[in-house]
Amino acid sequence: MNEQHVAWAPWSGPGHEHLVLREVSSALTAHSSVEGMTDEGRPFSLRYFLRTDSACRVREVELALLGGDARLALRSDGAGRWTDEKGRSLPELDGCIDVDISASPFTNTLPIRRLGLSPDSSDDIIVVYFSVPELSVRRCRQRYTCLGPERYLFESLESGFRAELPVDSQGLVLDYPGLFRRLPSR
């Protein structure tokens, strides 16, 4: 088992994410704690758990906000079909393999690793997008382009947002311009 501790901070303002990433037989589990501020200046505290299979397809994701009852738990069959924690089908998420948690740069790692893009190639994906702190869920179309070794262009195909992301050899974001920066390991 390979275990890694990773931390990010916002480019500006208070906040912090501490992620414990475990890899066993290429399958990942991530436990994370995120402290942040909303655009309106309200603090939030999020805990999330995520599990992938050996092909880096998300199979399980759980999010919970501290200080309230806001909690989500979704499961996937790995082929893009999702259910809630009670096993009810969520057809509005059909086709989503990856997830994107708005408060974390970690979820960019999942498609980067799963797609295995070569330089100058790209792929369009559909993700389950989790807006934090609302914990709302929706489908979102995105594109990843490999710009070269350990460098990717992320694009939201719906909003037009773009960011060039340098990553380490594991596909973990080092710098997310304007949003997150990786903190040095201790």
Side-chain angles (χ1 to χ4, degrees), residues 22-150:
R22 292 186 180 99
E23 185 172 355
V24 178
S25 302
S26 298
L28 303 175
T29 59
H31 294 267
S32 191
S33 171
V34 180
E35 306 290 329
M37 298 290 281
T38 66
D39 291 339
E40 297 78 29
R42 290 187 326 266
F44 68 87
S45 182
L46 172 75
R47 302 293 181 267
Y48 73 85
F49 166 78
L50 188 145
R51 181 179 61 82
T52 74
D53 60 21
S54 61
C56 215
R57 296 175 299 212
V58 176
R59 302 303 298 268
E60 180 178 4
V61 63
E62 298 176 6
L63 296 91
L65 288 173
L66 296 183
D69 293 333
R71 183 180 173 282
L72 281 174
L74 303 181
R75 308 287 181 269
S76 171
D77 65 358
R81 287 178 293 282
W82 292 81
T83 58
D84 66 14
E85 62 189 58
K86 294 181 179 174
R88 293 181 295 230
S89 178
L90 301 170
E92 65 274 19
L93 302 178
D94 281 356
C96 299
I97 304 296
D98 302 292
V99 301
D100 187 349
I101 300 172
S102 68
S104 175
F106 169 68
T107 48
N108 295 96
T109 298
L110 305 172
I112 287 171
R113 289 180 70 157
R114 184 178 65 78
L115 296 171
L117 297 171
S118 57
D120 299 319
S121 65
S122 65
D123 206 346
D124 293 358
I125 62 173
I126 304 170
V127 302
V128 178
Y129 184 83
F130 295 91
S131 182
V132 175
E134 302 84 6
L135 291 191
S136 62
V137 177
R138 65 180 172 91
R139 292 168 57 97
C140 185
R141 295 180 323 111
Q142 300 177 346
R143 176 178 297 136
Y144 282 84
T145 303
C146 180
L147 302 174
E150 300 177 355

Side-chain angles (χ1 to χ4, degrees), residues 153-165 176-177 179:
L153 176 65
F154 165 81
E155 298 174 87
S156 169
L157 299 177
E158 294 166 4
S159 72
F161 175 82
R162 299 164 50 107
E164 196 170 311
L165 306 176
Y176 202 127
L179 295 176

